[in-house]
Amino acid sequence: MINTENGQWAEFLDRLMHDLREPLRSIGAFSELLEENERGRLDAEGDRALSEIRAGASKMGTLLEGLSGYSMALRESAESVVSAASLQSAFKIVVSELQDRIRACDATVTAMNLPVVNVPLEGLMLLLRNLIGNSLRFRSAAAPVIRISAAPHAAGIWAIQVEDNGIGIAPEDCEAIFKPFMRVEGKKYGGAGLGLSICKRIVEAHGGTIRMESAPGQGSVCTFTLPEA
């Protein structure tokens, strides 16, 4: 069944991102030009102002990247596409993409015998990219350990868990974090606050559920269900 409202929102977000990317590119290009032309001639206040411009452009870029993922999740929900793909293959691709971040924090990311499910590969990659990325971002002082596992949940349904040893969150926030732009840690860890909202959209578009279990200082376990192929 096609969800027209979600499709309209996806189209709106695509148009918005298209119109915002051009001025953002201009801000980035001209700030770099200014920095090059005025290097050594700006005072401390001028350097600080230029730094704030660059930081603001970077934050907007992060937000647009998050909106792009959210738009894709909305479109997938609207189209209700049924296409089987291997969760293990999606995992291998995403880990390869995130290899620099994984090495930088000496993280261990493992997955065993993940199933083939009725979700397109691109949707699975977006799902894992956000969940693994969150575990890397919200890490504790210890080297991150991220484990992904799967087990039969019900007839024709798999339950997949993404477990980490990160900073964790308060149990009362475990439901709120799936709302768009919700960041329980405020601005401390960056990001657009859309990652878990994207995950929720993708999972629910294919008839699954998603939940988070966590406590401060005790890591987090995200569990979601998906239909088997």
Side-chain angles (χ1 to χ4, degrees), residues 126-138:
L126 187 56
L127 183 60
L128 292 180
R129 191 180 296 124
N130 279 294
L131 292 175
I132 296 173
N134 270 3
S135 292
L136 293 173
R137 180 181 296 117
F138 299 105

Side-chain angles (χ1 to χ4, degrees), residues 17 36 70 78 81 83 89 94 98 113 130 162 186 201 218-219 225:
M17 288 183 290
E36 182 178 342
Y70 196 72
V81 176
S83 176
S89 295
V94 169
L98 298 175
N113 302 319
N130 279 294
V162 179
R201 285 282 183 178
Q218 297 182 28
T225 60

Side-chain angles (χ1 to χ4, degrees), residues 140-163:
S140 64
V145 177
I146 305 166
R147 299 187 184 92
I148 304 176
S149 59
H153 176 68
I157 301 293
W158 283 92
I160 299 95
Q161 286 193 334
V162 179
E163 180 181 2

Side-chain angles (χ1 to χ4, degrees), residues 4-57:
T4 305
E5 183 180 357
N6 283 348
Q8 290 174 339
W9 273 109
E11 183 178 354
F12 168 77
L13 288 177
D14 287 343
R15 290 172 182 263
L16 176 64
M17 288 183 290
H18 178 271
D19 289 346
L20 288 176
R21 281 194 172 107
E22 185 58 36
L24 181 60
R25 280 194 290 265
S26 295
I27 292 171
F30 281 103
S31 62
E32 288 179 7
L33 181 63
L34 180 61
E35 183 178 37
E36 182 178 342
N37 290 344
E38 300 300 322
R39 184 176 290 117
R41 292 193 288 179
L42 292 174
D43 57 15
E45 186 176 351
D47 285 337
R48 186 165 56 252
L50 186 57
S51 177
E52 288 294 329
I53 292 171
R54 299 286 293 275

Side-chain angles (χ1 to χ4, degrees), residues 30-227:
F30 281 103
S31 62
E32 288 179 7
L33 181 63
L34 180 61
E35 183 178 37
E36 182 178 342
N37 290 344
E38 300 300 322
R39 184 176 290 117
R41 292 193 288 179
L42 292 174
D43 57 15
E45 186 176 351
D47 285 337
R48 186 165 56 252
L50 186 57
S51 177
E52 288 294 329
I53 292 171
R54 299 286 293 275
S58 177
K59 289 178 182 177
M60 183 172 285
T62 298
L63 178 59
L64 287 177
E65 183 180 344
L67 287 174
S68 178
Y70 196 72
S71 174
M72 177 192 158
L74 285 175
R75 190 175 294 103
E76 189 165 314
S77 176
E79 296 172 354
S80 297
V81 176
V82 176
S83 176
S86 166
L87 196 59
Q88 190 73 35
S89 295
F91 169 79
K92 291 179 180 178
I93 296 170
V94 169
V95 167
S96 178
E97 292 176 348
L98 298 175
Q99 197 57 235
D100 288 345
R101 289 179 61 188
I102 291 170
R103 287 174 180 165
C105 57
D106 197 26
T108 300
V109 186
T110 59
M112 291 294 292
N113 302 319
L114 299 183
V116 176
V117 292
N118 268 337
V119 182
L121 180 62
E122 189 176 11
L124 293 178
M125 289 170 56
L126 187 56
L127 183 60
L128 292 180
R129 191 180 296 124
N130 279 294
L131 292 175
I132 296 173
N134 270 3
S135 292
L136 293 173
R137 180 181 296 117
F138 299 105
R139 60 184 182 272
S140 64
V145 177
I146 305 166
R147 299 187 184 92
I148 304 176
S149 59
H153 176 68
I157 301 293
W158 283 92
I160 299 95
Q161 286 193 334
V162 179
E163 180 181 2
D164 66 44
N165 63 337
I167 60 171
I169 62 171
E172 59 267 25
D173 291 325
C174 284
E175 184 175 348
I177 57 174
F178 289 100
K179 296 178 181 178
F181 304 109
M182 180 64 181
R183 292 180 291 180
V184 296
E185 291 291 336
K187 299 179 180 179
K188 181 180 178 181
Y189 290 91
L194 285 168
L196 289 177
S197 300
I198 291 170
C199 293
K200 182 178 174 68
R201 285 282 183 178
I202 293 171
V203 169
E204 292 184 349
H206 297 277
T209 61
I210 186 169
R211 72 178 190 276
M212 185 72 71
E213 297 171 279
S214 186
Q218 297 182 28
S220 301
V221 180
C222 182
T223 303
F224 58 92
T225 60
L226 291 174

